[in-house]
Amino acid sequence: MPTFTINGISLDVPEGMTVLQAAETAGIEIPHYCYHPKLSIAGNCRMCLVEVEKFPKLQIACNTFVTDGMVVKSNTEKVRQAVTGVLEFLLINHPIDCPICDQAGECGLQIYYMKYGLHRSRFAFEDKVHKKKVQDIGGQIILDAERCILCSRCIRFLDEVTGTSELEFFQRGDHSEISIFPGKPLNNNYTGNLADICPVGALTSKDFRFKCRVWMLRGAKSICPGCANGCNVEAHFKEDILYRLQPRRNDKVNQTWMCDPGRLEYRKANEGRLLTPAVREQGGLKAEAWEAALSAVSFRLWETVEKSGSDSVAVIASPAFSNEELYLTRKLADEVLRTPNLGFSPRTSGDGFSDDFLIKADKNPNTRGAQLLGISGEKFEDIVRKISDGEVKALLVFGNEIADFPEEKTGELLAGVPFVVQIGTNEGSVFRAAHAILPSASFVERGGTFTTHEGRVQRFWMGFPPRGNARSGIEIITGLANRLGAGWKFAGEASVFRAIAQSEAPFSGMSYESLGESGQIAGGKG
Ligand code: SF4
Ligand code: SF4
Ligand code: FES
């Protein structure tokens, strides 16, 4: 392990580390644009210059590898002047766009200008080279070519990650310009990542731009609910509106990337939400207080069991719910309603598209969790048959749709059940057929864990309290169970997870602390 010194601090670093990476481990920032931890080294922005003892000239930290005994300085006047000079050079032809640029607030040029620049421009405004602005280049991206600093991160992403190579530099000198090839727009499922990795406002998100200034947003660590891959994300919100999802680094799951469909999953937390408990009376929905709605639903469930037996009640669980909620769903079915009719509803959403990178055909975040908790997918077919045969008199449906059934099929199926309760987040085919609605919190309005397709149990955190009068699934299930005499004393998701870790073998020994931010494989380590 080489020992090297930076700004007087001695460090032992792993073999093969660059000076820039080693400095990061010591908490020393070396400014950079073209370096990205998950892309090859280009070394073209020249912002990361440092002094290396015995080298006559400044070196770029992103492509200088640490050797034993190396002495580096990043805080000298010589380095400061060089970095300021590079920044001035990069800004020579940059437009005066900050007030109208959607990158403002998270722009690498703004940030480094304040830290390392603060120079007066020596370049006349009218001499700036202008390039094309506001171009829709396909996917989720708008290109503003004159804001580009030619760092090539976007080109390397499309060459090395998606392998689709849609972007390239054209022209020479200060007329160099990033662009797609004529008539060949971005054509891959990961275009949104370009807006994340572009350090300036050249590539911005078509969906997010001009919706909200970034300094007004707060973030919560979360998991994309769009498929079984469980990409780690940061959910950005203002008050109770979710504005965007951005990938959060987890080298064991998604590195630093996420797919385009997953990026738009945030919309479901805002649109068509169920926000207040309601019961259907004479064809119309009547809003109810939680106490009244939970009492009415639990009374109907009790009455059905009394009159027609436990077998006449069925529960369709949802693999979009957390491990904690699924565990309580199983307890409700097994121990309180004592019904054998519990299964989860599989869902692929449309064509069930998948690829060999991140996107999985299973469009649920927690199918594996449901399976590991002993909730069967096969049982679902059995429940559907019993409903069709008129054997089910009361049905609890978790989620907004039943499997991939079209609206009419769900309507026909549920029309035969005298009492249908939906515990879900959004309007949909179940909502239109349900007799009682118990609105549940979206993924950013509650905390818990999901289990990925490979069995990795990962935490997601609450960003803001449930919108309107919605409640977490844990509160709703516990509310029903206790009205039916269960006497449960769960206080939030942590207490439910402790119970899971104690009683469910695949989760044995896990805790929220041991899961940390990158998760743990159920039944093993890693
Ligand atoms: S568009 Fe952005 S990421 Fe691409 S080269 Fe220009 S500055 Fe770099
Ligand atoms: S691959 Fe799946 S989990 Fe990852 S971002 Fe896309 S939809 Fe979300
Ligand atoms: S980060 Fe080193 S040259 Fe760009």
Side-chain angles (χ1 to χ4, degrees), residues 262-273:
R263 214 174 269 270
L264 300 182
E265 280 289 315
Y266 80 92
R267 291 178 178 171
K268 293 180 194 156
N270 301 332
E271 296 163 6
R273 282 295 301 278

Side-chain angles (χ1 to χ4, degrees), residues 20 31-35 42-48 60-63:
L20 192 146
H32 58 272
Y33 289 127
C34 67
Y35 166 77
N44 62 9
C45 75
R46 316 310 283 184
M47 278 293 286
C48 63
I60 51 171
C62 68
N63 202 20

Side-chain angles (χ1 to χ4, degrees), residues 436-459:
I437 316 289
L438 302 178
S440 63
S442 77
F443 69 103
V444 73
E445 297 160 10
R446 70 198 206 278
T449 56
F450 290 139
T451 308
T452 69
H453 69 109
E454 61 154 5
R456 179 171 295 279
V457 184
Q458 304 190 105
R459 281 187 77 181

